[in-house]
Every structure is written in C-alpha cells, then in structure tokens.
C-alpha cells in the first residue's frame, strides 16, 4: 500500500489566486478611479455655481451703490430727506449693507460755516478724526471729506461728521475712484459703526459737480465735490449671496463643501472674509498608494474676483472622505473578485490533488493522458477567468448612475441592443420598449438641434464624439443630456457597435438659463435691461447696415408717474410699471425689443421689416396703449406719455448715440406740453447743450450774485400815481449777457433751484421797498411772483416772515402773486395756504386771471385782494369783441367781490381808454414804463412821474 503524498499548495492554484487578486485589485482601482472622477466632476460643478452665486451677489451689491450715485448725477443737489427716502428701501432689500454715506468735500475756509449749519440739526456736531482710538476734532487741513449724509442714522450716528480722508487707505481708495471714474473699494477694516468682530469694506463712487467736463483725470479731480459710499459687512454679503441659492447648507454630492473667501490674492487669516466649514488634515494613504484610491477629496477650486479695483480670492474645497463611508461599487467589485479568486484557487487545488492521486496510481501508464488532462484544466481555468471578467464588466455597467446604451453600427437605423437600468430610470422607457429602436426617438420631432448633426457624423465616420441634446422622457417632459459616443471594434478590426454614455445635465442648463435671465432682464417687469438693450440694438444696427433698412429708437417717459408714487406709494408704482410694460409689448411686434432703462423710462427698438414699414402710426399706437385707463387700489388713473424718436442712420451710428438723441427728443416732447412725440433734430442737441450749460451756471449764479431785480410800476387810473411795483428777476450772465426769465425759470423749476432763488427775490424785494420808504419815496406795494415749487414748500410762511422781519417791512406792503392754474391744481390745499398767508398780513393776488379754469364757487373762497387780467386779453380789447367782453366781465366780477383789478400788458392809448371806460383800477405795461432798475425807478419816484388822467393819455 502506497503512502499518502504530503499536502502542498499547487503552483496552478497559487497562480490562479494571485492573478485573481491582481485582477480584483486592478478592477478595484479602475472603478475607484471612475468614482473619484465622478466626485471630482460633481464637486467642480458645485464649486462653479457657488462662485457664480458669490459673483452675482457682489455685482448686485455694487449696482446698489451705482443707483445711489445716479441719484446725485440725475438731480444734482439732493436733500438729506431725499437721500434717506431713496436709501431706506435699498437697505431693507440688502441687509448686508451697514450704511449708505454721502461724503462732502469741505475746505478749511468753509469749515466754520459748515459746522455751524450742521449744529442747527445736530448740536454736538463737528468735523472729527480718530487719534489713539478716540474721536477728536479734526486737525487743520486744506480740505476734509466729511460724512455729511448717512443712512440709517440710528446706530451709525457715531460716523456723522467723520473726516474719511484722515484714514490713508480711504484717501487712497477715493483718489483711485476719482482717477478712474469708477467705484473703488478699500481693504478690510474695522468700521466706526460696527460693534461686532465682523469686518467690512467700503466702496466709494465720486460725485461730480453737474455740468463739469469729465474727459480725463485732471478734469475729474477738478469736478469732484464728494462721493457716495456703501459700507458692506463682508461676511454677511458673502453669506447672503450663497444663502440666496441655498448653498450654505445644500449640496448635491456626498461630500461636504467648504467655502472660504479672502479679500486679497493671498490666503491668510488676516484677509479671510467668509469661511464655511473646516478642512481636516489629509490622511496619508496606506503603503504609499495614491490618496484617491482610498479617499475622495477633489482638488480645491479657486477663483479670483475684481471688486471695485480690489482683488478677492474664493476657494471651494472639501475634506477627505474615506470611500467605505458610502456605497462603493469598487469595494463590492473587489470583494466579488476576491471571492471568485479564492473559489477558483480552491477548485484548482482540489483538481490538482485529485490529479496527483491518479497520477501516482497510473504514473507509468498515463504520461500522455496526464499532459492532456493538464491542458484541459488550464483551458477550464481560462474560461472561468473570462466568465468572471465578463460578469464583472456587466455588473459595473448595470450599477452605473449614468445611462449606458449599446447600439449596432449597422446603418442606417443603428438599432439599440442594450440599455442599463439608469437609462430606464432617466427616460422612463423600459428595456423592451427600447430594444431595436433608433436612438433618435429620444428627441422625437425636436430635430432642429446642432447636436443631432454631430451624432449623425459620428455614426457615419465611425469615430468618437460628443454632443449636447434636448431629449424627452416617456411622459413628454424635457431633459438635457450630454452624450459621449465611442465605437467598439470586433476581432477583425471593424466597428460593430457604439457605446453611448448619457449624462442628465438638466439642472445645470436650468441654472445657466436663470443666470442668463438675471443678467439680461429687468427684475420688476421682465423686460430687457440696459445690457440686453445695447446688445439687441447693436445686432439691429448690423442688420440694418447690411440691408439698408432704417431703425427707430423710441424713448418713452411716463407723465405724472411721480404723482402715483407720492399718493399711493411705491408698491402701486410697481403695479403701474408692470401694466405699462405689458401694454408696450402688446403695442409692438414680436420682433421689436421693449426695454426698461430704470424708473419710468422705457426704450423701444423698432426695426423696419420687409412686410411693413415704419410710420408715425406705430408711435401713436404705443402712446394710445399707454393712455388706456388703469385702476390701482380702487383708483382710476389716466397715464400719458412723452416719446422721443431717433432714426438710424440719420441720427447716429452707435447704440449710445441713438439712445442719447432719442432721450433729447423725449425731453423736447415734455417741453412742448407732454403727451406727444418728437423726432430728434440737430437743433435739439444744441438746445440740450445750451440747457446743460445754463443749468450748470444756474447752480452757481445765486452764490456769485449774478441775479438782479427789475421793477415795473403799477399805476392807479384814478390818480395817475405809482402805487405799486412788480419785482421781476433778471440774470446777468458773465459770458452770455442778460438772460431773460423765460430761458431759466422753467429750468430752475425742474431742478428745484427755484426755491432758494425765489427766497432771494422775496428778501431782496422787501429790503428794496424798505429802502425806498426810508428815503421818503412813499409806501408802495411790492408784488412778487410765487412759483408752484415755492407754494408747495412746507416752510413757505416762515421764509416770508423771516424776509419781512429782516427788512423790517410791514406785511401789508408785500403782495404775493400766484397764477390761476397753481391755486386751482389742488383747491383745498391752496385755500389753506392762502389763509395762512393772509393771517401773516401780506396782500394776495391772482396773476394771469382768465387763462385757467376758475369758477365763482372757488374764486369767492380764496382770501385774495387783487385780480390781474392777463395780457393776452388786454392785447386785443380794441380789435376783438370777445376779448373786450371778457375784460369787462372780469372787471365787473372783481368789483362785485370787492377786489382790486390790475390790467397787465397795457401798451397803447386805445387800450388805456377802454380800461378807464370800464373802471379798471390799475394798469401795468409798456405804455407807462418797461421794467427798470431800482435806481431808475427811484428817479421816477423822486420826479413824481405819473399818468396824466386825460383822454390824450399823455405823461408828465
């Protein structure tokens, strides 16, 4: 009996085990690489959308400052109340803004006067700086940049009066802003207002003196009068930007996303603005193998921003995550391979042992059989190994999160032969519904896609390729897919199949679409914004230039829009703007562009088309659409519009020129009475330039004492004596000479300068009347016109009382003239103001009577003393029976109400005779005297010049 051979591991079993382990390790490595790459791609996408959110938040915050600065550019002089009313809504919508400031430049010579004026509102006010951490009065310097306005005042009042130029970094930022003409940011700083550890930064934007040229650095330095500034809480700004898109906590990948933002190009603790999460130390992988083999940690994503001239750096990263902490296909693949390898090795070891026993029994007789048996065993092992690899690949494809499609390379249908479960989950089509169909069924009738042509070219050329397509699920819903196609060759080297990897990128496309809408659309109305307007207009100009077609640019401004805001509030104004936006879109063609420039201004691009030309009927249709009645909060409004039209190429060749000229034409439409449209002409541009120059000079005319008063006598028809004078303003321009009121009074009304100018007129007229009384020239009634802006000011009574007190003039010698249309605009309000003026003791008169729409029921309620007949009626009383009858009726009406009547514009003896015949009380006009200087009128009073009451009407 033979002894049993000692047990030993066979070489075949050991080799099978080692090869199986090696293949399992390679498979594990390959699957891990795929998993790691997927995590890396997902992480990069997450990082980019967070960077986009922060970039959008920073850009939006800078636009807020631009809006504040535009307020000064548009209106020039802005009151503290206007600054507050404009700033508070912006602060409410942007809580990360600590405050809005207006810094005013104050020279050392102006400092005492400025501090005294400010102490009238803030008793402890002074211009200050910080020395050794304490607020102290600022040391003497040539110029200070003082915090003049600040909102909100509560909590920020500590900064009022602070000289921001006392900080070198603020002074440097301001100088940079002036030289570039753009917003400029400081570095991180500890704010005076801030009581927490959070740091912030300040963005400044220069405010220039209106009318000054800004062509180069030198002109900007000369024109700057201060700046607007926004104080940002930097951490809150970044957090708000991320939180707006739910990025602070949300993540679509299995890794934690950490965000760090630095206010410099370097990454250090001193420049850290915002930090979300912490990054632990990266573990070294085992046995010196690559870290990605066991840990998921994509490389950090870094992006550099330019924030108003300052470089910011954003880093998005993630801590390392051990791959076994989540479901890992690589681990399962490795374990499956390991089990198969061990099983194969055990099987081979069993076969070898059996073979050895047989070999010991028949060793001398079956040498050839043994060789055959060994070959058979090797063949079995090879087949097992092949089956194992095939099963492993199949499981990997089945487990893929992305759709995998295998199609035949047989033209022309390229039928689908296999889809994995992910395809069924993404599209809703089952395997049975898909096999044998062409992949084109996924896009159906939506065949107008560039990517489809690329797919067809890939199939014909039998090559690798890539395309992005719109696909449709079984339920008809749209999804975007990113397709990667690779050819598969058979044993002969011919392409027999295509493997298609399909990635669902719908979420990424949706986010890109949202970003594009926010970039190019107005947030309130959804219309095109300034950026999209310029892009569309540039395209329209290129097309028009190529085909020699004209383009109309219509600049639309709503009339009396401010009335809606002032009466019903900004929410009602927003409702009105949305309604007007819809009406504008309905009034034009689909191919036209409607945009909102801001406020109540809209710009329309109306290009000519082959099927229809351009005509004024288009503009009229737009105005008629706007003018339809609109009900807001139970109130019915009739909104009219003023439209300016510029035509390409006649009125300009660039978007900027066309928009500018359409704007000028719109202002001309407003000047001609509103509710009409005007086409641009070169004369309008000259008029606009003249208006701009006069507006700039008008702001300084009062300070430079360029205004003077002329006085036109008012003569009593019973005695012939001068009983009163009307004060009429004139402007002695140093270069343009004497400018009549008609050229600057309307402009002063629009800019609000009429209020200080009107106060100067009342004060100067009162002082002059008192001087004549002191010289023994008699007690005359001084008549002064009052504008609508003055009539609406809250401190009107105090201003008139102060002028009378300063001149020591009795109130009965001052007469306030108001136009008929002014008092009839709001009768109840007018009656209240007139009664207060009457209580002050001054005389009241209605100027230009007969041109408005007064009625007896209102006229008798007004506490007035004088009616002035408008010169338009007096001019034709001797030739037009209707005007003569009107004048006679006004005189009779006034006398029945016990009022004095003054006829204006009396220039002929016949006019004088008619007025005497109908018992007019007083006259005023060139027949007796033109408006003259104070000295000339004083000479007339000294010479006792009077009207001779005779039929000849001669003067003595």
């Amino acid at each position: 009996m033979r002894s049993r051979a000692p047990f030993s591991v066979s070489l075949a079993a050991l080799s099978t085990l080692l090869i199986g382990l090696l293949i399992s390790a390679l498979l594990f490595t390959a699957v891990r690489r795929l998993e790691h790459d997927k995590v890396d791609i997902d992480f990069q996408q997450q990082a980019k959308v967070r960077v986009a959110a922060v970039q959008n938040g920073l850009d939006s915050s800078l636009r807020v400052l631009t809006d504040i600065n535009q307020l000064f550019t548009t209106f020039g002089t802005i009151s503290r109340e206007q600054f507050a009313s404009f700033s508070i809504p912006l602060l409410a919508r942007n809580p990360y803004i600590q405050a809005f400031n207006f810094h005013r430049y104050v020279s050392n010579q102006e400092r005492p006067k400025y501090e005294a004026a400010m102490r009238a509102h803030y008793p402890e006010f002074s211009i200050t700086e910080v020395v050794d951490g304490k607020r102290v009065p600022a040391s003497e310097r040539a110029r200070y940049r003082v915090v003049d306005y600040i909102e909100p005042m509560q909590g920020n009042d500590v900064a009022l009066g602070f000289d921001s130029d006392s900080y070198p970094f603020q002074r440097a930022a301001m100088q940079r802003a002036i030289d570039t003409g753009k917003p400029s940011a400081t570095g991180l700083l500890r704010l005076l207002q801030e009581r927490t550890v959070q740091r912030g930064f300040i963005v400044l934007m220069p405010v220039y003196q209106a009318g000054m040229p800004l062509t180069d650095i030198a002109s900007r330095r000369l024109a700057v009068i201060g700046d607007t500034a926004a104080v940002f809480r930097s951490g809150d700004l970044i957090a708000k930007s991320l939180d707006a898109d739910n990025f602070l906590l949300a993540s679509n990948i299995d890794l934690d996303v950490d965000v760090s933002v630095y206010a410099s190009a370097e990454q250090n603790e001193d420049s850290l603005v915002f930090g979300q999460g912490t990054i632990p130390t990266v573990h070294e992988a085992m046995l010196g193998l690559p870290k990605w083999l066991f840990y998921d940690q994509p490389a950090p994503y870094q992006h550099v921003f330019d924030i108003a001239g300052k470089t910011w750096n954003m880093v998005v990263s993630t801590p390392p995550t051990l791959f076994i902490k989540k479901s890992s296909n690589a681990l399962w693949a490795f374990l499956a391979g390991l089990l198969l390898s061990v099983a194969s090795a055990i099987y081979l070891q069993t076969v070898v042992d059996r073979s050895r026993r047989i070999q010991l029994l028949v060793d001398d007789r079956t040498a050839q059989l043994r060789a055959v048996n060994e070959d058979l065993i090797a063949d079995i092992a090879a087949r097992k190994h092949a089956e194992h690899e095939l099963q492993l690949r199949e499981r990997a494809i089945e487990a893929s999160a992305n759709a995998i499609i295998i199609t035949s390379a047989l033209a022309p249908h390229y039928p689908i032969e296999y889809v994995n479960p992910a395809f069924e989950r993404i599209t809703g089509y089952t395997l049975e519904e898909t096999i044998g169909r062409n992949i084109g069924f996924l896009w159906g009738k939506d065949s107008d896609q560039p990517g489809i042509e690329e797919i067809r070219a890939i199939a014909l050329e039998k090559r690798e390729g890539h395309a992005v397509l719109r696909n449709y699920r079984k339920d008809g819903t749209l999804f975007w897919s990113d397709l990667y196609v690779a050819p598969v060759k058979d044993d002969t080297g011919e392409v027999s199949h295509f493997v298609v990897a399909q990635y669902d990128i719908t979420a990424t496309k949706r986010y890109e679409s949202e970003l594009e809408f926010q970039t190019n659309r107005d947030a309130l109305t959804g219309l095109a914004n300034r950026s999209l307007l310029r892009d569309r207009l540039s395209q329209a100009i290129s097309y028009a230039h190529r085909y020699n077609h004209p383009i109309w640019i219509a600049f639309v401004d709503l009339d009396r829009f401010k009335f809606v805001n002032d009466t019903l509030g900004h929410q009602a104004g927003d409702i009105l703007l949305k309604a007007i936006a819809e009406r504008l879109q309905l009034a034009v063609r689909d191919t036209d562009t409607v945009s909102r420039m801001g406020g109540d201004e809209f710009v329309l691009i109306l290009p000519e088309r082959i099927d229809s030309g351009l005509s004024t009927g288009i503009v009229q249709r737009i105005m008629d659409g706007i003018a339809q009645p609109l009900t807001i909060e139970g109130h019915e409004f009739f909104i009219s519009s003023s439209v300016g039209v510029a035509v390409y190429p006649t009125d300009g060749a660039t978007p900027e020129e066309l928009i500018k000229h359409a704007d000028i034409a719109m202002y001309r439409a407003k000047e001609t009475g509103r509710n009409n449209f005007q086409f641009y002409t070169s004369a309008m541009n000259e008029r606009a330039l003249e208006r701009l120059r006069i507006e700039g000079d008008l702001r300084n005319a009062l300070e430079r004492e360029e205004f003077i008063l002329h006085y036109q006598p008012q003569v009593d028809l019973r005695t012939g004596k001068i009983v009163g004078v009307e004060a009429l303003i004139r402007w002695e321009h140093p270069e343009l000479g004497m400018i009549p009121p008609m050229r600057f009074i309307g402009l002063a009304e629009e800019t609000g300068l009429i209020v200080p100018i009107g106060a100067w007129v009342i004060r100067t007229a009162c002082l002059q009347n008192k001087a004549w009384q002191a010289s023994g020239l008699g007690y005359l009634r001084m008549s002064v016109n009052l504008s609508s802006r003055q009539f609406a000011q809250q401190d009107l009574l105090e201003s008139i009382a102060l002028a009378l007190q300063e001149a020591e003039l009795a109130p009965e010698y001052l007469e306030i003239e108001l136009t008929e249309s002014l008092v009839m605009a709001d009768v109840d309000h007018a009656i209240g103001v007139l009664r207060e003026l009457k209580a002050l003791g001054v005389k009241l008169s209605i100027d230009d009577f007969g041109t408005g729409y007064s009625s007896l029921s209102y006229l008798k309620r007004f506490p007035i003393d004088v009616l002035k007949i408008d010169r338009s009626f007096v001019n034709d009383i001797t030739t037009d029976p209707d005007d003569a009858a009107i004048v006679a009726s006004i005189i009779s009406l006034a006398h029945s109400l016990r009022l004095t009547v003054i006829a204006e514009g009396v220039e002929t003896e016949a006019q004088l005779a008619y007025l005497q015949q109908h018992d007019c009380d007083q006259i005023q006009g060139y027949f007796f005297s033109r408006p003259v200087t104070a000295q000339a009128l004083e000479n007339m009073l000294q010479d006792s010049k009077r009207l001779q009451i005779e039929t000849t009407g001669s003067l003595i």
Side-chain angles (χ1 to χ4, degrees):
M1 184 175 180
R2 250 178 222 185
S3 61
R4 183 182 295 271
F7 175 79
S8 63
V9 178
S10 67
L11 181 60
L14 184 59
S15 298
T16 300
L17 180 61
L18 293 176
I19 292 172
L21 290 175
L22 178 60
I23 292 174
S24 299
L26 292 176
L27 182 60
F28 170 80
T29 302
V31 177
R32 273 295 301 141
R33 188 69 207 183
L34 289 175
E35 290 178 344
H36 184 273
D37 289 346
K38 179 181 181 303
V39 170
D40 188 71
I41 292 172
D42 291 343
F43 171 77
Q44 291 294 321
Q45 291 178 345
Q46 290 293 315
K48 289 178 181 178
V49 296
R50 282 165 169 78
V51 166
V54 172
Q55 179 76 70
N56 187 50
L58 292 171
D59 292 344
S60 298
S61 64
L62 291 183
R63 285 197 294 271
V64 173
L65 177 59
T66 304
D67 293 341
I68 287 286
N69 190 269
Q70 189 64 32
L71 182 66
F72 285 84
T73 303
T74 303
F75 297 99
T77 302
I78 301 300
S79 68
R80 195 176 306 276
E81 292 75 17
Q82 291 172 322
F83 184 85
S85 64
F86 190 85
S87 301
I88 289 174
L90 294 179
L91 288 167
R93 291 195 298 269
N94 302 278
Y96 48 80
I97 297 179
Q98 174 73 18
F100 286 120
N101 296 342
F102 168 55
H103 299 97
R104 183 190 303 277
Y105 274 123
V106 178
S107 66
N108 191 44
Q109 293 80 6
E110 296 170 338
R111 178 176 179 176
K113 182 178 178 181
Y114 172 75
E115 288 181 333
M118 289 296 288
R119 288 188 185 114
H121 303 283
Y122 308 98
E124 302 297 327
F125 179 86
S126 66
I127 299 178
T128 61
E129 62 183 2
V130 175
V131 177
D132 296 331
K134 297 181 179 180
R135 291 283 297 276
V136 298
S139 57
E140 184 172 334
R141 284 187 285 274
R143 188 170 70 168
Y144 309 88
R145 189 164 57 88
V146 183
V147 178
D148 192 25
Y149 299 168
I150 185 166
E151 290 297 332
M153 181 64 74
Q154 185 176 2
N156 295 304
D157 52 355
V158 65
L160 191 65
F162 180 73
D163 177 19
S164 298
D165 274 354
S166 64
Y167 280 160
F169 65 88
Q170 281 211 47
R171 186 168 60 251
M174 181 59 185
Q175 193 62 49
R176 185 168 64 252
I178 296 172
D179 291 349
T180 62
K182 299 178 179 179
S184 178
T186 67
L188 292 182
L189 62 139
R190 177 74 162 81
L191 301 175
L192 291 175
Q193 307 97 310
E194 188 63 41
R195 295 182 172 84
T196 66
V197 296
Q198 181 180 187
R199 293 174 295 177
F201 66 100
I202 302 174
V203 180
L204 308 101
M205 192 168 183
V207 175
Y208 299 104
Q209 183 176 346
M212 294 289 284
L214 305 173
T215 56
D216 52 22
I217 293 176
S219 63
R220 287 196 293 273
R221 290 182 177 179
L222 183 63
V224 69
I225 61 173
D227 67 273
T228 55
V231 184
F232 295 94
R233 291 190 289 269
S234 52
D236 290 350
L237 171 57
I238 302 302
K240 177 67 176 178
S241 300
L242 291 172
D243 190 53
D245 289 322
N246 297 321
F247 287 147
L248 284 180
L249 298 176
S251 175
N252 294 330
I253 59 176
D254 294 331
L255 301 174
D256 294 329
V257 177
D258 303 320
V259 177
S260 300
V261 181
Y262 303 86
S264 70
E266 300 177 356
Q267 302 173 20
N268 53 59
E269 189 67 23
D270 293 336
S271 62
L272 181 63
V273 172
F274 176 87
Q276 176 191 9
T278 58
I279 304 177
T281 304
V282 177
H283 298 289
E284 293 294 333
M286 296 181 293
L287 302 177
L289 296 174
K291 297 174 184 177
W292 57 263
L293 200 58
F294 302 104
Y295 292 92
D296 285 327
Q297 185 180 25
Y301 183 88
Q302 186 171 347
H303 185 78
V304 176
F305 303 97
D306 179 78
I307 307 302
K310 288 290 185 178
T311 300
W312 282 37
N313 183 21
M314 179 173 175
V315 179
V316 183
S317 58
T318 179
T321 303
L322 190 62
F323 77 100
I324 61 174
K325 290 186 176 181
K326 58 184 180 180
S327 177
S328 173
N329 293 327
L331 179 61
W332 288 111
F334 178 78
L335 292 177
L338 181 62
L339 290 175
L340 287 174
S341 299
V342 172
S344 299
I346 293 174
Y347 175 78
L348 285 177
Q349 182 65 38
T350 303
V351 172
V352 169
D353 287 345
R354 181 174 177 274
S355 298
R356 283 179 180 177
R357 288 194 299 271
I358 296 173
Q359 186 177 357
L360 290 174
L361 295 174
V362 295
D363 185 44
D364 55 344
R365 293 173 293 172
T366 58
Q368 188 178 1
L369 182 60
R370 184 175 64 249
V372 173
N373 190 48
E374 288 177 355
D375 290 340
L376 178 61
I377 293 173
D379 184 60
I380 293 173
R383 286 201 300 271
K384 290 288 185 181
H385 180 66
E387 290 177 1
H388 164 70
E389 288 185 337
L390 184 60
Q391 291 174 357
L392 186 58
R393 291 191 184 97
E394 183 178 352
R395 285 196 297 270
I397 293 174
E398 294 284 327
S400 174
N402 297 307
I404 304 295
I405 308 166
I406 299 177
T407 72
S408 171
L410 185 61
H413 298 296
Y414 305 98
I416 297 174
E417 296 184 0
Y418 169 81
V419 293
N420 69 344
F423 177 89
E424 299 182 36
R425 182 176 64 254
I426 292 173
T427 66
Y429 290 100
T430 64
L431 179 65
E432 292 75 14
E433 294 172 321
T434 305
I435 297 300
R437 302 177 71 174
N438 181 275
I439 195 172
F441 83 92
L442 288 175
W443 53 78
K445 297 181 180 179
D446 190 4
S447 58
D448 187 17
Q449 303 186 55
I452 294 177
E453 294 301 322
E454 176 64 17
I455 292 295
R456 290 171 178 167
I458 292 170
L460 289 174
E461 299 170 13
K462 297 183 178 181
R463 59 173 172 83
E464 292 184 354
H466 162 257
V468 175
L469 293 169
R470 294 184 297 272
N471 293 157
Y472 297 88
R473 298 183 177 89
K474 184 178 180 180
D475 60 5
T477 57
L478 168 70
F479 72 98
W480 285 87
S481 65
D482 203 350
L483 297 180
Y484 290 85
V485 182
V488 179
K489 296 181 179 180
D490 58 17
D491 296 337
T492 65
E494 293 295 325
V495 174
S496 63
H497 293 82
F498 291 100
V499 176
V500 182
Q502 183 183 50
Y503 300 89
D504 186 351
I505 59 171
T506 306
T508 302
K509 282 289 185 179
R510 184 182 301 115
Y511 185 72
E512 290 176 354
S513 177
E514 291 174 356
L515 285 180
E516 181 181 3
F517 183 86
Q518 294 174 3
T519 302
N520 296 320
R521 294 290 175 175
D522 175 56
L524 176 64
T525 62
L527 299 177
N529 62 10
R530 291 172 182 263
S531 175
L532 185 56
L533 169 67
R534 283 176 170 81
D535 181 66
R536 294 272 182 87
L537 186 50
S538 297
Q539 295 179 23
I541 289 173
S542 298
Y543 181 87
H545 177 73
R546 186 180 305 116
Y547 296 103
N548 196 27
H549 288 169
I551 306 172
W552 285 13
I553 309 301
F555 200 114
V556 180
D557 185 90
L558 304 182
D559 300 331
R560 298 177 67 247
F561 173 73
K562 186 176 182 297
F563 175 76
V564 178
N565 270 347
D566 292 345
T567 54
L568 298 183
H570 291 283
Q571 184 175 1
D574 289 347
I575 294 173
L576 185 145
L577 290 174
K578 290 179 181 178
I580 295 300
E582 293 177 358
R583 292 180 177 183
L584 288 173
Q585 289 178 305
L586 292 174
V588 300
R589 300 164 296 187
D590 293 339
T591 54
D592 299 333
T593 295
V594 182
S595 69
R596 182 183 176 219
M597 293 289 286
D600 60 338
E601 295 178 338
F602 300 86
V603 173
L604 285 69
I605 305 175
L606 308 173
E608 184 180 40
R609 293 292 183 266
I610 297 176
D611 58 344
S612 62
L614 295 169
S615 68
T616 56
I618 296 175
V619 182
Q620 190 61 53
R621 184 171 68 247
I622 293 170
M623 294 178 62
D624 292 343
I626 295 173
Q628 295 299 314
L630 179 67
T631 302
I632 302 176
E633 297 182 1
H635 301 275
E636 189 173 48
F637 291 92
F638 293 86
I639 298 295
S640 62
S641 59
S642 300
V643 182
V645 181
V647 181
Y648 171 86
T650 307
D651 300 331
T654 66
E656 291 74 17
E657 285 182 314
L658 291 169
I659 294 173
K660 172 186 173 184
H661 291 163
D663 190 12
I664 291 173
M666 182 274 292
Y667 273 104
R668 179 57 181 162
K670 283 189 174 292
E671 289 177 358
T672 55
R674 303 177 186 269
N675 194 25
N676 69 91
F677 63 89
Q678 294 286 327
F679 281 82
Y680 171 79
T681 64
S682 58
M684 290 182 184
N685 196 37
E686 295 174 2
R687 179 183 177 90
L689 292 175
E690 180 189 13
R691 170 192 171 94
L692 188 62
R693 177 183 181 183
I694 291 178
E695 180 180 349
D697 293 344
L698 186 62
R699 296 183 182 278
N700 300 314
L702 192 60
E703 181 180 345
R704 295 173 181 170
E705 299 181 352
E706 295 174 359
F707 291 120
I708 61 172
L709 290 184
H710 283 189
Y711 303 91
Q712 187 171 34
Q714 297 172 339
V715 181
D716 189 291
L717 289 182
R718 287 180 291 274
T719 64
K721 291 184 178 181
I722 299 174
V723 293
V725 294
E726 180 178 358
L728 301 169
I729 190 170
R730 299 290 185 269
W731 181 8
E732 286 186 321
H733 194 282
E735 297 177 5
L736 302 178
M738 188 69 73
I739 299 178
M742 67 178 62
R743 289 182 62 188
F744 68 87
I745 290 298
L747 187 59
E749 283 273 7
E750 292 181 19
T751 59
L753 293 173
I754 193 66
V755 174
I757 292 175
W760 176 86
V761 170
I762 294 175
R763 175 178 173 274
T764 304
C766 289
L767 289 171
Q768 182 61 65
N769 198 6
K770 184 64 177 180
W772 286 334
Q773 291 182 7
S775 300
L777 299 177
Y779 294 89
L780 302 177
R781 181 183 67 251
M782 178 65 71
S783 180
V784 179
N785 289 286
L786 204 64
S787 71
S788 58
R789 280 286 187 101
Q790 288 176 277
F791 191 71
Q793 69 182 99
Q794 295 182 351
D795 59 346
L796 174 63
L797 265 68
E798 291 79 357
S799 175
I800 295 176
L802 183 62
L804 291 169
Q805 181 180 358
E806 184 177 351
E808 298 181 357
L809 180 70
E812 60 265 24
Y813 299 115
L814 175 64
E815 180 178 280
I816 301 298
E817 286 191 16
L818 305 105
T819 62
E820 182 181 4
S821 58
L822 185 152
V823 295
M824 292 302 298
D826 188 342
V827 174
D828 292 334
H829 173 72
I831 291 174
V833 175
L834 292 176
R835 286 175 177 172
E836 292 177 347
L837 289 171
K838 194 66 178 176
L840 191 62
V842 299
K843 301 292 185 180
L844 300 175
S845 68
I846 298 296
D847 194 11
D848 301 334
F849 186 77
T851 61
Y853 41 85
S854 296
S855 66
L856 287 176
S857 61
Y858 287 129
L859 189 60
K860 67 181 181 180
R861 295 173 59 190
F862 294 145
I864 58 177
D865 303 287
V866 178
L867 280 185
K868 298 188 73 174
I869 303 175
D870 185 66
R871 65 180 65 248
S872 62
F873 298 118
V874 175
N875 187 53
D876 295 327
I877 56 176
T878 59
T879 59
D880 189 334
D882 292 334
D883 284 351
I886 291 173
V887 170
S889 299
I890 293 175
I891 295 173
S892 176
L893 170 66
H895 287 167
S896 66
L897 295 175
R898 297 181 297 279
L899 302 177
T900 300
V901 183
I902 300 178
E904 293 183 299
V906 179
E907 299 180 356
T908 66
E909 184 176 346
Q911 293 170 349
L912 174 65
Y914 182 87
L915 293 169
Q916 287 178 322
Q917 179 183 353
H918 289 83
D919 297 326
C920 183
D921 299 308
Q922 299 172 19
I923 66 163
Q924 174 182 342
Y926 288 3
F927 183 77
F928 182 78
S929 173
R930 291 175 175 268
V932 296
T933 63
Q935 183 59 51
L937 185 63
E938 185 174 336
N939 294 337
M940 293 171 63
L941 294 174
Q942 289 175 345
D943 296 341
S944 299
K945 182 179 179 180
R946 66 174 64 191
L947 181 68
Q948 185 67 41
I949 306 302
E950 296 179 0
T951 57
T952 61
S954 60
L955 300 175
I956 59 172

